[in-house]
């Protein structure tokens, strides 16, 4: 089996020119990836912002609309396991370029859809492209910063958070620019992404690739089922479910359940992105130097409380902003450090597989988040008190307690007290 290991000592991301491996030479490439990551984030935001108008146009019921808002993550889940192998086979340049073209084409297709079948195909294509892009991006990041994985991934979530902060207003502006047509932002975002994809294909140096590295030949898979890694994956499922429930339907919930205007709902949603920034680098930096497992466990419990309060509280513009910001901090911190935990607990030769499994379970939870959110909250969101407890508090609380009861070492895990 060939794999692109994320550890620098295995030189998974290596160039034929040794001087090119220096950070200053990589800055233009990193900047191009960062810009593409912004489009990646905006592609995810078009659907939640336009969901009310799209639902009316295609005559969808609330549960089907919720499913369409989050179903793209099923495409991510399906391709996450083989994505590491695809990155190794294709090389970094082609993996990033072709995946960007795929998720952007999916966004374009969603914008021209006239029925649920075409919309579903577009959403799944978006997810499939994003899965390969995510794996390539994060494997490259942890290879550059092996001693500061949590901090480096936090830096990537900062970029994503910034895209979420400005994204909703960009989408509303584009809708206004298109004469109020909900399809126009899909089409324009998709075209921007296609341009970015071609830029990656032609501007990223050919010598910057994921080298095909021979992995260990041992067939012991017991590391994949250790308590520490399983608890990390369990928390990833919860975080994916709850994060994408918010991302897919908070703006619809705020507009229908609490009569926020589209602008007020989008501003609150943007502050969730700012929360991701505040929870990314600072929490990653802290947990890189302390006990990551215990820190993530405590953070999970606090995130569940924050999510429950957000949906229990009577929302007005200010409370929606503050509570979304706090919840975003927790989600961003959990997300980045789950990546770091999974990488730290896997054998070096199986790093890409460990991250692939993490993405798979994360997006499996995310793929059904919209449907489950509407199911527990009620079609008209009248059962939001019950939903807040069942959707946010209980899952994060249980996952956090499990994390606190499990300890691990690099490559090994064991139950506390064994």
């Amino acid at each position: 089996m060939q794999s692109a290991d994320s550890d620098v000592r295995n030189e998974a991301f290596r160039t034929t020119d040794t001087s090119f491996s220096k950070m200053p030479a990589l800055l233009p490439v990193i900047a191009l990836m960062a810009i593409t990551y912004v489009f990646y984030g905006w592609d995810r935001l078009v659907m939640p912002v336009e969901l009310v108008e799209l639902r009316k146009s295609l005559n969808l019921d609330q549960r089907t609309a919720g499913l369409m808002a989050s179903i793209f993550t099923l495409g991510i889940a399906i391709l996450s396991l083989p994505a590491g192998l695809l990155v190794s086979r294709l090389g970094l340049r082609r993996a990033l370029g072709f995946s960007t073209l795929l998720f952007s084409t999916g966004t374009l297709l969603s914008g021209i859809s006239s029925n649920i079948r075409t919309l579903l195909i577009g959403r799944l294509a978006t997810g499939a492209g994003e899965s390969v892009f995510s794996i390539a991006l994060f494997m490259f990041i942890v290879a550059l910063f092996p001693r500061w994985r949590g901090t480096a991934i936090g830096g990537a979530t900062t970029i994503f958070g910034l895209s979420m902060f400005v994204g909703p207003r960009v989408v509303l502006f584009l809708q206004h620019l298109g004469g109020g047509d909900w399809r126009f932002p899909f089409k324009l975002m998709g075209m921007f992404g296609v341009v970015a994809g071609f830029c990656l294909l032609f501007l990223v140096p050919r010598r910057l690739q994921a080298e095909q590295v021979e992995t260990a030949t041992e067939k012991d898979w017991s590391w994949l089922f250790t308590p520490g890694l399983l608890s990390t994956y369990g928390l990833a499922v919860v975080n994916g479910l709850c994060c994408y429930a918010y991302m897919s339907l908070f703006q619809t919930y705020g507009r229908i359940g609490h009569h926020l205007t589209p602008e007020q709902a989008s501003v609150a949603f943007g502050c969730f992105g700012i929360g991701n920034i505040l929870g990314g680098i600072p929490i990653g930096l802290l947990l890189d130097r302390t006990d990551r497992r215990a820190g993530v466990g405590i953070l999970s419990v606090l995130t569940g409380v924050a999510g429950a309060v957000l949906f229990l509280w009577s929302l007005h513009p200010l409370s929606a902003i503050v509570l979304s910001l706090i919840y975003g901090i927790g989600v961003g911190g959990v997300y980045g450090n789950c990546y770091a935990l999974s990488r730290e607990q896997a054998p070096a030769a199986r790093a890409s597989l460990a991250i692939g499994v993490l993405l798979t379970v994360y997006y499996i939870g995310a793929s059904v988040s919209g449907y489950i959110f509407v199911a527990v909250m009620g079609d008209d969101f009248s059962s939001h008190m019950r939903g807040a407890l069942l959707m946010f508090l209980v899952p994060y609380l249980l996952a956090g307690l499990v994390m606190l009861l499990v300890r691990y070492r690099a490559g090994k895990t064991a139950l506390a007290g064994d």
Side-chain angles (χ1 to χ4, degrees):
M1 176 181 176
Q2 293 173 322
S3 171
D5 188 10
S6 62
D7 200 302
V8 164
R9 67 175 178 272
N10 287 324
E11 299 180 314
F13 293 96
R14 190 165 55 169
T15 69
T16 56
D17 180 0
T18 56
S19 66
F20 189 77
S21 63
K22 296 179 180 180
M23 185 60 63
L26 285 174
L27 287 179
V29 175
I30 293 172
L32 180 57
M33 290 182 187
I35 293 170
T36 306
Y37 201 33
V38 171
F39 290 127
Y40 170 103
W42 285 355
D43 271 19
R44 294 188 175 191
L45 293 177
V46 182
M47 177 68 80
V49 175
E50 300 289 356
L51 189 59
V52 173
E53 288 74 15
L54 181 148
R55 173 174 168 255
K56 293 176 181 176
S57 175
L58 299 184
N59 195 28
L60 305 179
D61 61 66
Q62 193 73 272
R63 295 194 183 194
T64 302
L67 184 63
M68 289 299 103
S70 60
I71 195 64
F72 78 98
T73 56
L74 181 60
I76 301 179
I78 291 171
L79 272 185
S80 288
L81 279 177
L85 181 61
L86 284 172
V87 173
S88 178
R89 298 283 186 183
L90 293 174
L92 182 63
R93 177 181 61 86
R94 286 183 292 178
L96 288 168
F98 287 135
S99 63
T100 301
L101 289 173
L102 180 57
F103 73 69
S104 300
T105 301
T107 300
L108 274 171
L109 186 60
S110 299
I112 64 174
S113 62
S114 59
N115 55 64
I116 191 172
R117 181 180 300 178
T118 308
L119 179 63
L120 178 61
I121 294 172
R123 297 297 286 163
L124 290 175
T126 295
E130 289 186 356
S131 68
V132 179
F133 183 88
S134 295
I135 288 284
L137 180 68
F138 283 111
M139 288 176 68
F140 179 63
I141 289 171
V142 298
L144 285 179
F145 305 100
R147 295 180 181 275
W148 300 92
R149 294 186 180 103
T151 306
I153 295 171
T157 61
T158 295
I159 296 172
F160 188 72
L162 285 171
S163 75
M164 285 198 295
F165 178 68
V166 301
R169 280 168 285 182
V170 170
V171 173
L172 289 174
F173 172 76
L174 291 177
Q175 182 182 358
H176 177 73
L177 193 66
D181 182 10
W182 66 267
R183 298 177 184 274
F184 185 73
F186 280 92
K187 296 174 183 177
L188 199 58
M189 291 293 188
M191 287 189 289
F192 283 156
V194 168
V195 172
F198 280 115
C199 286
L200 287 167
L201 282 174
F202 291 107
L203 298 182
V204 172
R206 291 178 180 270
R207 61 185 181 274
L208 182 63
Q209 302 187 50
E211 185 185 51
Q212 295 179 353
V213 180
E214 293 296 330
T215 62
T217 58
E218 104 288 325
K219 297 182 179 180
D220 180 14
W221 296 95
S222 60
W223 62 270
L224 193 57
F225 303 100
T226 52
L229 199 53
L230 289 177
S231 64
T232 301
Y233 290 156
L235 178 55
V237 173
V238 170
N239 206 42
L241 175 71
C242 298
C243 173
Y244 276 87
Y246 176 94
M247 288 181 61
S248 300
L249 284 163
F250 172 77
Q251 293 179 82
T252 302
Y253 168 80
R255 290 173 61 180
I256 294 176
H258 295 271
H259 307 293
L260 298 179
T261 67
E263 291 75 17
Q264 290 169 343
S266 68
V267 169
F269 183 89
C271 288
F272 172 80
I274 293 298
N276 271 239
I277 296 171
L278 297 176
I281 293 179
I283 293 178
L285 184 62
L286 175 64
L287 298 187
D288 277 339
R289 314 312 299 170
T290 56
D291 186 344
R292 194 186 310 278
R293 183 268 315 164
V296 170
I298 294 171
L299 183 61
S300 175
V301 174
L302 295 176
T303 303
V305 173
V309 172
L310 172 61
F311 288 96
L312 285 171
W313 206 269
S314 179
L315 294 181
H316 52 77
L318 181 59
S319 63
I321 287 172
V322 173
L323 294 174
S324 292
L325 178 72
I326 295 172
Y327 181 57
I329 292 173
V331 169
V334 170
Y335 179 79
N337 285 283
C338 277
Y339 266 98
L341 279 171
S342 65
R343 175 61 188 87
E344 289 167 357
Q345 296 176 87
R350 304 295 187 189
S352 61
L353 176 61
I355 294 176
V357 173
L358 180 80
L359 279 176
T360 297
V361 298
Y362 178 84
Y363 285 111
I364 285 175
S367 67
V368 295
S369 60
Y371 187 88
I372 293 177
F373 182 87
V374 175
V376 298
M377 294 283 185
D379 288 342
D380 57 354
F381 306 121
S382 59
S383 301
H384 66 97
M385 296 185 68
R386 177 193 67 186
L389 299 177
L390 294 179
M391 186 85 197
F392 295 93
L393 181 62
V394 173
Y396 272 118
L397 178 62
L398 292 177
L401 290 176
V402 170
M403 290 295 296
L404 290 171
L405 292 173
V406 172
R407 62 181 174 86
Y408 77 94
R409 291 177 294 174
K412 294 183 179 181
T413 58
L415 287 172
D418 283 359

